[in-house]
């Protein structure tokens, strides 16, 4: 399999660049008025090799005979989005992409999601639903330009009203269960003002400069619209106090039976792709009985006849007719289905790769790079904000963390954990990832039990008669470790625990379900975590800092419920640097701030890991074409969603 590190060095260097704002590329939108815009954001669409003179549609649509000419369903010719990346081949229509799902609410959405803007494979941000944008000189007003003539999947026009209404009604009233996202708030915490300019233009206006709004929007929001024509009447009733009447209207339209507004909003205005309501996605859930419910054992997403993208020769996308899902109870079942060709694709574990390569179906294994800082199942997080004074003092002592790091033989652990597939590592950015430093990756990785014991004692621990360390006042010290049962971190704990015990650290381990784990996090009662709900690491501190800056993510464990009001020392400095980063529009200053943040992480080693992160292995049937060779598998990029499934095709 191809080594991706060289590619990552280039692609993620671009990520670092667009995370900063500087002039790395000509970003003028040729279709709209020109102003200064943020760096490396390609707001122009890539040209094709020749002019498209005619458009064609899939036989699947032609056979239905109900949608009229394809030209009438596409946007105005100058606003049609053309997928023409260099790696793409002109595909053929037909077939189905077969998948398996252990859950269904979020899983099917990522691969078909369509945001105003999108991440490209090289890490840059480009146009998508929106064809471009302008930003004023002080980065307080962003003007968004939509595609004229674009339509929802029910054939109704898509306009600026759908975006402005979604923001000013749905988000303002938190009807989607989420409300304003972080990208919508300025540095003072105030939401942007969103206003319609004309049918295909609207603005976001911030009270103070918002230098990275477009990138932040891609990370936090994904989409920024809802079909006003479909929801407005019922929502007006709900907001006027007639909740039962509004719910009844929505349930009749959507074929649902929601009994409260909160559930309706969460399902239809947030997880909307799972229901047969108007969408801009390439696929909509089937309306055929037995195939139309994500709660069933089988469901389908079929092509959207009004989809607004074409290939370089004018074929309306997508190529594949449908995406099908069979429910399974475990990832092990997915592997079996991959082996006999029943399903076409799935992420798989390292241990499954050799078996799949030797199977009759012989799927191709794609190495897609992960950006977590160290293998997440080996990440150990000590709650630096724990209320217990003994534990708080100990966990915040770098001598203790260093001792916990070097008391483990990483070479042996890596062999036991992955049969040698993964290398020993530390909780640090991998090679090619912004922030990577050899010194950081190797810090505290030597195996030295005697030195570890000396460090435990310098941190205030005293060896007890039972051979385990206690606090200096004689209080027993037990490291209570917790994780989420579905993550199977207990398997790694069995490898880790003998090293801790041999160094004099008595520990316990408990697996609980995700809901209870989240409750424990919110109550700040978790002392130490193995494989957190929020893996420690990021693509770039300039792009997403949720899991690595205190106060930004409720699923954090390493900093507990700590925020600016309770943080001290380098942790407070980290928070303050992040605030400066948000407020700076100067390239050199932003780069300097990010380097200072990386310096603090390397100095303090707030989180440990024992094995370096591995690539994500995605097994995909060889009949599926136009799958990119290399990409970053990360939620920021919507995982496989950045691979643009609308361009995939089946070749039997």
């Amino acid at each position: 399999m191809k080594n991706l590190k060289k590619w990552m060095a280039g692609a993620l260097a671009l990520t670092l660049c667009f995370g900063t704002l500087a002039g790395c590329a000509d970003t003028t939108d040729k279709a709209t008025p020109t102003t200064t815009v943020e760096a490396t954001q390609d707001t122009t669409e890539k040209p094709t090799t020749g002019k498209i003179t005619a458009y064609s549609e899939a036989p699947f649509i032609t056979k239905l005979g109900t949608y009229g000419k394809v030209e009438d369903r596409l946007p105005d010719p100058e606003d049609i989005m053309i997928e023409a990346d260099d790696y793409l081949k002109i595909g053929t229509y037909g077939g189905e992409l077969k998948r398996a799902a252990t859950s269904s609410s979020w899983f099917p959405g990522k691969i078909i999601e369509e945001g105003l803007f999108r991440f490209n494979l090289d890490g840059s941000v480009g146009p998508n639903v929106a064809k471009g944008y302008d930003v004023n000189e002080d980065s307080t007003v962003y003007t968004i330009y939509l595609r004229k003539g674009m339509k929802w999947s029910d054939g109704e026009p898509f306009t600026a009203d759908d975006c402005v209404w979604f923001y000013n009604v749905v988000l303002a009233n938190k009807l989607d269960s989420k409300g304003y996202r972080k990208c919508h708030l300025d540095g003072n915490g105030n939401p942007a003002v969103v206003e319609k300019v004309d049918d295909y233009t609207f603005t976001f206006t911030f009270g103070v400069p918002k230098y990275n709004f477009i990138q932040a929007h891609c990370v936090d929001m994904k989409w920024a619209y809802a079909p006003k024509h479909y929801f407005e009447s019922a929502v007006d009733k709900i907001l006027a106090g007639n909740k039962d009447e509004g719910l009844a209207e929505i349930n009749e339209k959507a074929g649902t039976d929601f009994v409260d507004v909160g559930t309706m909003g969460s399902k239809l205005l947030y997880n909307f792709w799972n229901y047969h309501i108007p969408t801009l996605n390439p696929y909509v859930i089937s309306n055929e009985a037995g195939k139309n419910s994500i709660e069933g054992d089988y469901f389908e997403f079929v092509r959207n006849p009004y989809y607004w993208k074409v290939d370089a020769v004018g074929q309306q996308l997508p190529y594949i007719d449908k995406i099908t899902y069979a429910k399974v109870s475990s990832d092990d079942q997915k592997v079996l289905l991959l082996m006999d060709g029943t399903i076409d694709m799935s992420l798989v574990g390292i241990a499954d790769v050799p078996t799949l390569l030797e199977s009759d179906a012989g799927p191709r294994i794609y190495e897609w790079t992960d950006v977590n800082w160290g293998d997440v199942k080996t990440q150990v997080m000590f709650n630096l904000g724990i209320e217990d004074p003994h534990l708080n003092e100990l966990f915040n002592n770098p001598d203790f963390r260093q001792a916990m790091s070097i008391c483990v033989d990483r070479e042996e652990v890596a062999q036991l954990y992955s049969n040698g597939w993964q290398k020993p590592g530390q909780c640090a950015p991998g090679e090619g990832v912004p922030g990577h430093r050899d010194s950081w990756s190797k810090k505290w990785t030597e195996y030295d039990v005697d030195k570890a014991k000396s460090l435990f004692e310098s941190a205030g621990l005293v060896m007890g008669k039972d051979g385990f360390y206690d606090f200096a006042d004689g209080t027993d010290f037990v490291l209570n470790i917790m994780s989420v049962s579905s993550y199977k971190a207990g398997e790694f704990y069995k490898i880790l625990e003998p090293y801790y015990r041999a160094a004099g650290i008595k520990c316990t381990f408990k697996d609980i379900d995700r809901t209870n784990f989240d409750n424990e996090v919110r109550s700040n009662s978790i002392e130490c975590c193995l494989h957190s709900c929020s893996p420690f690491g990021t693509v770039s501190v300039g792009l997403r800092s949720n899991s690595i800056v205190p106060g930004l993510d409720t699923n954090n464990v390493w900093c507990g419920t700590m925020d600016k009001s309770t943080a001290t020392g380098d942790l407070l400095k980290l928070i303050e640097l992040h605030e400066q980063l948000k407020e700076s529009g100067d390239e050199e200053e932003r780069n300097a701030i990010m380097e200072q943040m990386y310096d603090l992480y390397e100095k303090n080693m707030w989180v440990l890991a024992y094995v370096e992160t591995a690539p994500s292995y995605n097994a995909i049937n060889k009949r599926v074409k136009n799958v990119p060779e290399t990409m970053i598998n990360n939620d920021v990029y919507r995982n496989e969603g950045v691979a643009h499934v609308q361009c995939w095709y089946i070749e039997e």
Side-chain angles (χ1 to χ4, degrees):
M1 288 174 282
K2 187 175 180 180
N3 188 311
L4 305 184
K5 290 183 177 178
K6 191 172 183 180
W7 175 84
M8 280 293 294
L12 280 173
L14 281 176
T15 301
L16 178 61
C17 181
F18 77 71
T20 65
L21 185 124
C24 299
D26 176 10
T27 61
T28 306
D29 187 333
K30 304 301 188 293
T32 57
T34 59
T35 61
T36 303
V37 296
E38 288 193 354
T40 73
Q41 297 189 138
D42 179 10
T43 64
T44 62
E45 291 171 12
K46 295 178 176 60
T48 57
T49 54
K51 186 176 180 180
I52 297 173
T53 58
Y55 300 96
S56 57
E57 66 181 9
F60 181 95
I61 297 295
T62 304
K63 289 178 182 177
L64 295 177
T66 56
Y67 293 105
K69 296 179 179 179
V70 63
E71 292 87 348
D72 296 334
R73 303 196 304 272
L74 293 170
D76 290 0
E78 64 273 15
D79 282 350
I80 296 172
M81 184 164 177
I82 302 169
E83 295 281 20
D85 285 333
D86 292 340
Y87 76 94
L88 294 175
K89 296 180 180 179
I90 301 301
T92 55
Y93 285 125
E96 59 187 60
L97 183 68
K98 298 174 290 186
R99 306 186 76 192
T102 53
S103 62
S104 48
S105 62
W106 190 253
F107 179 69
K110 286 187 176 183
I111 201 169
I112 59 175
E113 188 178 275
E114 298 286 4
L116 281 182
F117 299 89
R118 73 178 187 185
F119 286 110
N120 299 311
L121 284 174
D122 64 2
S124 63
V125 172
N128 198 46
V129 169
K131 66 181 180 181
Y133 74 97
D134 284 338
V135 58
N136 67 348
E137 289 185 3
D138 67 357
S139 296
T140 56
V141 181
Y142 288 80
T143 303
I144 311 298
Y145 302 97
L146 301 179
R147 301 175 186 279
K148 295 180 180 179
M150 196 163 158
K151 298 177 178 62
W152 290 97
S153 58
D154 63 356
E156 291 295 317
F158 169 72
T159 70
D161 287 326
D162 298 303
C163 300
V164 175
W165 178 82
F166 179 72
Y167 185 89
N168 289 329
V169 177
V170 175
L171 298 190
N173 292 284
K174 210 173 181 179
L175 291 174
D176 70 335
S177 78
K178 300 293 182 180
Y180 297 129
R181 311 305 201 267
K182 292 176 183 176
C183 65
H184 297 134
L185 307 179
D186 65 22
N188 295 325
N190 298 316
V193 174
V194 174
E195 298 175 296
K196 177 182 176 181
V197 177
D198 58 41
D199 283 348
Y200 297 101
T201 312
F202 67 103
T203 58
F204 284 91
T205 301
F206 296 92
V208 296
K210 184 79 172 181
Y211 297 106
N212 65 339
F213 172 61
I214 299 299
Q215 300 100 321
H217 198 279
C218 283
V219 173
D220 294 342
M221 190 60 234
K222 315 302 187 295
W223 56 90
Y225 49 77
K228 179 182 177 183
H229 69 278
Y230 188 88
F231 284 107
E232 183 178 31
S233 173
V235 165
D236 284 350
K237 293 181 176 68
I238 290 169
L239 294 178
N242 301 318
K243 293 183 179 180
D244 290 342
E245 186 179 350
L247 271 174
E249 181 178 327
I250 285 292
N251 282 331
E252 183 177 359
K253 281 185 177 181
T256 52
D257 55 1
F258 300 122
V259 296
D260 63 87
V261 171
T263 302
M264 180 279 295
S266 175
K267 299 297 185 181
L268 298 186
L269 288 165
Y270 187 64
N271 294 330
F272 61 88
W273 53 84
N274 291 322
Y275 299 89
H276 204 270
I277 61 174
T279 179
L280 302 179
N281 293 342
Y283 295 92
V284 299
I285 196 163
S286 173
N287 59 7
E288 187 177 344
K291 303 177 181 179
N292 61 349
S293 174
I294 60 168
E295 304 301 329
D297 292 332
Y298 175 87
F299 54 96
E300 295 181 349
F301 283 77
V302 298
R303 62 168 63 250
N304 171 8
Y306 291 92
Y307 192 57
W308 39 280
K309 298 180 183 178
V310 301
D311 67 12
V313 296
Q315 294 184 111
Q316 184 190 29
L317 297 171
Y319 292 124
I320 297 173
D321 287 333
K322 62 178 69 174
I323 305 176
T324 66
Y325 291 86
K327 281 284 189 67
V328 296
S329 59
S330 70
D331 289 336
D332 291 340
Q333 283 183 273
K334 292 182 181 180
V335 174
L336 293 174
L337 296 175
L338 281 165
M339 289 173 64
D340 65 12
T342 300
I343 64 173
D344 287 316
M345 66 177 293
S346 179
L347 284 172
V348 296
I350 294 174
D352 297 316
V353 171
T355 303
L356 287 166
L357 290 174
E358 295 172 3
S359 67
D360 291 337
R364 183 172 180 183
I365 306 297
Y366 290 82
E367 268 190 3
W368 289 345
T369 299
D370 200 291
V371 297
N372 289 314
W373 295 359
D375 185 283
V376 294
K377 285 188 179 180
T378 77
Q379 286 184 354
V380 174
M381 300 184 176
F382 307 104
N383 186 347
L384 304 180
I386 193 75
E387 293 181 4
D388 182 283
H390 280 114
L391 293 176
N392 190 291
E393 182 179 359
L394 185 66
F395 293 166
N396 280 280
N397 190 319
D399 284 350
F400 171 77
R401 297 196 299 275
Q402 181 179 358
M404 294 298 292
S405 184
I406 67 174
C407 74
V408 175
D409 184 344
R410 283 176 167 77
E411 293 284 349
E412 190 172 66
V413 163
Q415 184 65 37
L416 292 170
Y417 176 63
S418 68
N419 288 323
W421 279 72
Q422 289 171 259
K423 297 178 182 179
Q426 183 55 277
C427 189
E431 186 177 344
V433 178
H436 171 75
R437 304 161 183 183
D438 286 340
S439 58
W440 186 357
S441 294
K442 296 174 182 176
K443 186 172 181 178
W444 297 353
T445 58
E446 75 275 14
Y447 178 44
D448 191 334
V449 178
D450 290 338
K451 182 177 179 180
K453 289 183 176 181
S454 176
L455 288 166
F456 283 137
E457 291 164 9
S458 69
L461 296 177
V462 177
M463 180 65 73
K465 293 180 180 180
D466 59 358
F468 293 102
Y469 282 106
D470 299 323
F471 291 107
D473 64 1
T475 307
D476 286 344
F477 169 53
V478 179
L479 184 63
N480 296 307
I481 304 173
M482 192 173 288
S483 189
V484 178
S485 52
S486 62
Y487 293 163
K488 300 181 180 179
E491 298 172 1
F492 183 71
Y493 175 75
K494 293 176 182 177
I495 298 173
L496 191 62
E497 191 262 355
Y499 294 100
Y500 285 176
R501 291 182 67 87
I505 300 299
K506 186 186 297 183
C507 47
T508 68
F509 180 80
K510 184 179 181 180
D511 260 337
I512 60 177
D513 65 63
R514 175 65 185 263
T515 300
N516 287 329
F517 185 92
D518 286 347
N519 290 335
E520 295 284 340
V521 170
R522 282 188 283 270
S523 65
N524 201 32
S525 58
I526 294 179
E527 300 174 9
C528 178
C529 175
L530 182 61
H531 191 330
S532 170
C533 284
S534 293
F536 195 82
T538 185
V539 175
S540 162
V541 296
L543 182 60
R544 191 174 202 177
S545 302
N546 288 34
S547 72
I548 55 177
V549 176
L552 296 186
D553 196 324
T554 57
N555 283 328
N556 281 348
V557 175
W558 70 281
C559 55
T561 55
M562 184 189 301
D563 56 23
K564 189 176 181 180
S565 66
T566 56
T568 59
D570 282 350
L571 286 164
L572 177 58
K573 188 180 296 184
L574 178 65
I575 296 171
E576 291 172 343
L577 285 169
H578 181 258
E579 291 178 344
Q580 293 174 32
L581 185 65
K582 292 192 300 182
E583 296 169 0
S584 174
D586 180 79
E587 174 196 357
E588 291 186 4
E589 182 181 47
R590 286 176 60 85
N591 280 327
I593 292 170
M594 288 190 287
E595 285 302 309
Q596 291 179 65
M597 293 174 73
Y598 289 128
D599 287 342
L600 290 176
Y601 297 128
E602 180 178 358
K603 171 187 173 185
N604 288 278
M605 300 299 294
W606 286 303
V607 178
L608 306 177
Y610 296 99
V611 178
E612 73 175 18
T613 191
S616 295
Y617 295 97
N618 205 326
I620 302 180
N621 196 311
K622 293 176 183 176
R623 74 192 192 110
V624 182
K625 306 299 182 181
N626 271 350
V627 181
E629 294 285 341
T630 55
M631 57 169 264
I632 303 166
N633 184 37
N634 187 266
D635 181 66
V636 167
Y637 299 122
R638 316 313 296 133
N639 301 107
E640 66 270 269
V642 76
H644 309 319
V645 69
Q646 66 272 8
C647 299
W648 296 6
Y649 66 96
I650 304 294
E651 184 176 272
E652 300 292 357

